[in-house]
Amino acid sequence: MSKTKKLGEGTYAIVYLGQLKADPSSQVAIKKIKVNTEYRDGLSMDAIREVKYLQELSHPNIIALHAVFSSKNQNLNLVLEFLPLGDLEMLIKDSEGIRYGTAEVKAWMGMLGRAVWFCHENFVLHRDIKPNNLLIAADGEVKLADFGLARSFSDPYRPMTYQVITRWNRPPELLYGARFYSGAVDVWSMGTVFAELILRVPYMAGNTDIHQLELICQAIGTPTEENWPGVSKLEGYVGYEKAVTVPVRGKDFYLARFGTAGSVGVDLLMSLLALDPRKRSTARQMLEHKWWTTDPRPTAKEDLPKKG
Ligand code: ADP
């Protein structure tokens, strides 16, 4: 294996382009997880989790992990499928250069839904679904990446940390500090990605966790014991007795904002953004929704818009 050039740098890693010595025409991405920082322990645990789960998950909509090796200073290197065409966030933001409509959104959401369904079938929560973690392959396939926060949820009695998921995509149960949560956290994030694909700006972009909750109350409705039995027992629940309680938004509210997805598309969006995680649709129910068979049919992956 040899590194050829630097592809990019994130918070926890530097990514290089590489090729396998045995096959000089091959291209792989080598993700070198940064260690020797003050967060060393936390980061290396994230890295180990990423490795463990990615190696087990083989699916067309999940980034492939070819190999793992450690280099000097015990740096961890992941040899990943090379995905040169950027991510969904880049497409969403390029509203001058890239045009797309409901058929494209349907294709992307279908690929995301199948990736998440496959994770959940295998007892893995992704926990950081956002447009920036949806990478695009040369054939147009969207692949879920960055499993740094994923962990198995097969043991329902083991409390989990709630400081996961980038704020804008974080579900209300995590903002309230829930320690026992389920695949529904990823389903909420899929709902926020769906909304952002349609609007081409993040739907609920909070500056702080409190602000994020305020935006959820405005956009979805205020969580109460009536619409979400048990919510007031969550550690971080803020009582809204004195504040104005926003009733759960009805279909007309969504149609006014997301009407381009059609009435059936709006039904799906509302089922992903249900406040009570038990009422939220599951990834499987999402894939069984009638939106997929309603016109327009999803765009074929080779016809999807690409960067540049
Ligand atoms: P971030 O989460 O901030 O995007 P990453 O560490 O995941 O950080 O990646 C840093 C950059 O490296 C990305 O923005 C992207 O440009 C590039 N990159 C990451 N993974 C791949 C890959 N599998 N193939 C090609 N480029 C990649």
Side-chain angles (χ1 to χ4, degrees), residues 62-75:
I62 295 175
I63 191 168
L65 174 64
H66 299 303
V68 182
F69 65 92
S70 66
S71 53
K72 56 179 181 303
N73 310 328
Q74 293 178 323
N75 273 337

Side-chain angles (χ1 to χ4, degrees), residues 7-11 13 15 29 31 63 80-84 132-133 135 146:
L7 288 171
E9 186 162 356
T11 330
V15 183
K31 186 166 181 174
I63 191 168
L80 294 156
E81 183 176 6
F82 174 57
L83 298 169
N132 164 264
N133 281 340
L135 304 186
D146 235 342

